[in-house]
Amino acid sequence: MSDLPRFVEILEEGPREGFQAEPPGIPVAAKLELIEALAETGLAEINCASFVSRKVMPQMADAEEIAATVHRKEGVRYRGMWLSKNGFLRAANSGLDLMATLSASASDTFLFKNNNRTPEQYLAEQEQMLDLFEAHGLKNGPVYIFTAFGCNYEGAIDPARVVERTAPLLDLLAARGHTPSHVTLCDTIGSATPEAVRRAMGAVRERWPDQPIALHLHDTRGLGLACALAGLEMGASRFDASVGGLGGCPFAGNAAAAGNIATEELVLLCESMGLATGIDLARLVEVVALAERIVGRPLPSRLAKAGLFQPNPARA
Amino acid sequence: MSDLPRFVEILEEGPREGFQAEPPGIPVAAKLELIEALAETGLAEINCASFVSRKVMPQMADAEEIAATVHRKEGVRYRGMWLSKNGFLRAANSGLDLMATLSASASDTFLFKNNNRTPEQYLAEQEQMLDLFEAHGLKNGPVYIFTAFGCNYEGAIDPARVVERTAPLLDLLAARGHTPSHVTLCDTIGSATPEAVRRAMGAVRERWPDQPIALHLHDTRGLGLACALAGLEMGASRFDASVGGLGGCPFAGNAAAAGNIATEELVLLCESMGLATGIDLARLVEVVALAERIVGRPLPSRLAKAGLFQPNPARA
């Protein structure tokens, strides 16, 4: 029997992780145009904004305005992101469709360098976030595991450590009656390889056979879609991806970090394997041109550059 | 048991297919510098030039000069390419390390549009080429199958047709006492997907279980490395690839055709799977910068842009 999922969920990260990596100054109207065009492609979930410090991340200072003014298409969930209790409270007030998202880092060094927390301290904060989610009626969200494949300080991450750092979070959620929608393994620093994806996913599946797994991949070193293929074959049923490959991760301590895998290339891969995504690929490829106009440069997507394969029998 | 090859052979196509897609005017000295730098990376086979019409392809008018002046490193084979008897005779006189290469097209329409030949006419010419190869002491070369996955006129290619168009060539070679080194399935127009690679390779393996298979992939729509992964898992033991992703296929009737998969990204994929290539990846990544200086623009390689993943424990 195949491990392939029947339907692949995609969380579009372009307007959030993508624009977050751009210089400040993209007009709200342009962001809204992109989000609304993405919603017309069949994408069911779009991450619209980060509710983070306006000083540290002026690119996202318009989060409330985006949330308040975006035209909502029925059936589409408009997501938001945050890094702190205060950020969550802003997001909760914004009216976006939030998920009860918790996180852990597979690399303790990365966690300490980026969050100044030990795993125990960070877990305690996650428990406080869970209190807050429950108070706002949110439950059963995803669990994000950062640096699940590699860390820019520690190097390759042992799959056993992914399990070790995921377990306390899943135990906490189980004790509180939550069923996590997904464990999302994140290639935070862009070092994932297909084999690393298989090993990490295999370890998580071995420990929690019924837990759906998602992947947050970057195409930093050209293996992003190969990692997605390996992930699909291991049963990954959800991906974070970014239209055109827009974006990067400014927190990863690596100036060369590339954006997420391109949503349209992921959809092409899924379609070629007979896996449904609900997305109109031709329409999505057209939206890449809009994203490129907004950022004023070509995006990494090769599919968008070449266009869909359209044989022309009339010329034969 | 795994189908994975133990060692992956790579034919470097940058100086040939890559430069062929560039505007004329690259100095011979620059081409020699690239070829010689590639030879220092451990690459064992480098395609150096096409012996084709100087009028139609002025980019390759220096083929003889390249062949005559390239500094040869021991153990490296310096390949050449041709499209006609006359071209082969030029190549044979050049002193390059030639292979007795024959070809067929899986798409009859593509063959007719590009070569003005029926499959029968083209096969008859291949037999004449074989006479010529034998007269020059060449045997047991590869068989290239163009449009093995798709055709810009006919669309997707049925794997049964790949077998059907490969069979007469393999029969001819067997009758003449040749053992083809590889059947090389070519993604001539850049439409291959991992599933298409699996299906075509599966059909060829089913018919000729002991025949080594190679892949000539392009990264036109972002799935090139995912196709390579699928190919490796099906036992592909040889790839054509191009440093930095240099190049394209000007004959494919598609202005958006991208270059071959980037050699360094393929080597990274192989290394991550524990497959030997004999290539020094760090050194190869450095050569991309030289190739970029020669063509005067960034090449598509993402690995070259990001650099190798080098964790820095000292910063931890």
Side-chain angles (χ1 to χ4, degrees):
Chain A
M1 284 299 294
S2 167
D3 288 321
L4 290 173
R6 291 184 193 175
F7 187 92
V8 178
E9 296 177 8
I10 298 178
L11 172 62
E12 170 57 45
E13 279 284 0
R16 201 281 302 174
E17 186 161 338
F19 283 151
Q20 190 167 305
E22 294 293 318
I26 297 175
V28 169
K31 293 186 178 182
L32 293 174
E33 189 183 358
L34 182 68
I35 294 168
E36 290 166 10
L38 288 166
E40 295 298 326
T41 67
L43 272 163
E45 295 183 60
I46 303 171
N47 213 343
C48 297
S50 289
F51 296 86
V52 290
S53 161
R54 296 180 181 88
K55 274 191 187 160
V56 175
M57 190 64 70
Q59 296 93 323
M60 292 285 129
D62 54 13
E64 274 84 356
E65 190 180 352
I66 298 281
T69 53
V70 66
H71 172 80
R72 305 256 190 138
K73 187 178 167 77
E74 204 178 314
V76 177
R77 282 152 293 170
Y78 297 82
R79 305 297 193 190
M81 188 264 207
W82 56 88
L83 295 171
S84 66
K85 283 185 209 175
N86 181 49
F88 169 72
L89 293 173
R90 285 174 55 201
N93 281 329
S94 77
L96 290 182
D97 306 310
L98 306 189
M99 296 185 288
T101 307
L102 296 183
S103 59
S105 176
S107 162
D108 298 346
T109 313
F110 187 89
L111 183 70
F112 193 77
K113 287 295 210 177
N114 283 273
N115 298 73
N116 200 29
R117 298 284 185 280
T118 66
E120 296 70 25
Q121 290 169 332
Y122 196 72
L123 179 64
E125 290 180 351
Q126 299 302 301
E127 188 162 4
Q128 293 169 17
M129 288 301 299
L130 189 58
D131 295 338
L132 210 49
F133 295 158
E134 289 178 344
H136 284 78
L138 295 178
K139 63 183 304 185
N140 302 337
V143 164
Y144 273 71
I145 308 298
F146 302 121
T147 56
F149 309 106
C151 163
N152 42 322
Y153 307 108
E154 298 189 11
I157 294 292
D158 186 335
R161 189 116 69 81
V162 174
V163 169
E164 200 180 334
R165 292 287 173 258
T166 304
L169 262 185
L170 293 190
D171 289 347
L172 166 65
L173 287 163
R176 301 270 290 254
H178 291 253
T179 307
S181 60
H182 288 84
V183 167
T184 301
L185 301 180
C186 302
D187 181 23
T188 310
I189 58 149
S191 70
T193 65
E195 196 57 28
V197 168
R198 281 194 193 105
R199 292 180 66 226
M201 285 188 66
V204 171
R205 277 173 50 156
E206 178 77 10
R207 175 73 175 263
W208 300 284
D210 299 322
Q211 176 61 58
I213 302 177
L215 291 171
H216 180 100
L217 298 171
H218 289 260
D219 197 14
T220 307
R221 293 177 170 88
L223 302 188
L225 274 294
C227 288
L229 172 60
L232 287 166
E233 289 171 349
M234 289 292 288
S237 54
R238 180 182 174 92
F239 289 81
D240 297 349
S242 168
V243 62
L246 187 68
C249 178
F251 298 116
N254 180 355
N260 290 119
I261 54 171
T263 313
E264 62 281 3
E265 292 178 355
L266 175 64
V267 172
L268 175 64
L269 176 65
C270 291
E271 284 193 358
S272 74
M273 299 168 78
L275 310 178
T277 64
I279 294 168
D280 180 335
L281 181 53
R283 204 152 181 176
L284 180 59
V285 168
E286 287 171 16
V287 177
V288 179
L290 169 61
E292 290 181 330
R293 282 200 302 278
I294 292 172
V295 298
R297 65 168 196 284
L299 289 173
S301 172
R302 298 172 199 219
L303 174 55
K305 187 180 172 203
L308 285 177
F309 172 52
Q310 290 172 316
N312 188 348
R315 288 179 53 211
Chain B
M1 283 299 293
S2 168
D3 289 320
L4 289 174
R6 290 184 194 175
F7 187 91
V8 179
E9 296 177 8
I10 297 178
L11 173 62
E12 170 57 45
E13 279 285 359
R16 202 281 302 174
E17 185 159 338
F19 283 152
Q20 191 166 305
E22 293 294 316
I26 297 176
V28 169
K31 292 186 178 182
L32 293 175
E33 189 183 359
L34 183 67
I35 293 168
E36 290 165 11
L38 289 166
E40 295 298 327
T41 67
L43 272 163
E45 296 183 60
I46 303 171
N47 213 344
C48 297
S50 289
F51 295 85
V52 290
S53 160
R54 296 180 181 86
K55 274 192 189 160
V56 174
M57 190 64 70
Q59 295 92 324
M60 292 285 127
D62 53 13
E64 274 85 356
E65 190 178 352
I66 298 281
T69 54
V70 67
H71 172 79
R72 304 252 191 143
K73 186 179 169 75
E74 203 180 314
V76 177
R77 283 151 292 171
Y78 297 82
R79 305 297 191 189
M81 187 264 206
W82 56 88
L83 295 171
S84 66
K85 284 184 208 175
N86 180 49
F88 169 71
L89 292 173
R90 286 174 55 201
N93 281 328
S94 77
L96 289 182
D97 306 311
L98 306 189
M99 296 186 286
T101 307
L102 296 183
S103 60
S105 176
S107 162
D108 297 346
T109 312
F110 187 89
L111 183 69
F112 193 78
K113 287 294 210 175
N114 284 273
N115 298 72
N116 199 29
R117 298 284 186 279
T118 65
E120 295 73 22
Q121 290 169 333
Y122 196 72
L123 180 64
E125 290 180 352
Q126 299 302 300
E127 189 161 3
Q128 293 169 19
M129 289 301 300
L130 189 57
D131 295 338
L132 211 49
F133 294 158
E134 289 178 346
H136 285 77
L138 295 178
K139 62 182 306 186
N140 303 337
V143 164
Y144 272 72
I145 308 298
F146 302 120
T147 57
F149 310 106
C151 163
N152 42 323
Y153 306 109
E154 298 188 11
I157 295 291
D158 187 336
R161 189 115 71 79
V162 174
V163 169
E164 199 181 336
R165 292 287 173 259
T166 304
L169 262 184
L170 294 190
D171 291 346
L172 166 65
L173 287 163
R176 301 270 288 256
H178 291 254
T179 305
S181 60
H182 288 83
V183 167
T184 301
L185 301 180
C186 301
D187 181 23
T188 310
I189 57 150
S191 70
T193 66
E195 195 58 27
V197 168
R198 283 194 192 108
R199 293 180 66 225
M201 285 189 66
V204 171
R205 278 173 52 155
E206 178 78 10
R207 175 74 175 263
W208 299 284
D210 299 322
Q211 175 61 59
I213 301 177
L215 291 172
H216 180 100
L217 298 171
H218 290 260
D219 197 13
T220 308
R221 293 178 172 88
L223 303 188
L225 275 293
C227 288
L229 172 60
L232 287 166
E233 290 172 348
M234 290 292 287
S237 54
R238 181 182 173 91
F239 290 82
D240 297 351
S242 168
V243 62
L246 187 68
C249 177
F251 298 116
N254 180 355
N260 290 119
I261 54 172
T263 313
E264 62 281 3
E265 292 178 356
L266 175 64
V267 172
L268 174 64
L269 177 65
C270 291
E271 284 193 359
S272 74
M273 299 167 77
L275 310 177
T277 63
I279 294 167
D280 179 336
L281 181 53
R283 205 152 181 176
L284 181 59
V285 168
E286 286 170 17
V287 177
V288 179
L290 170 61
E292 290 182 330
R293 281 201 302 278
I294 292 173
V295 299
R297 64 166 197 286
L299 289 173
S301 172
R302 298 172 199 219
L303 173 55
K305 186 180 171 203
L308 285 176
F309 172 53
Q310 289 172 317
N312 188 348
R315 288 180 52 213

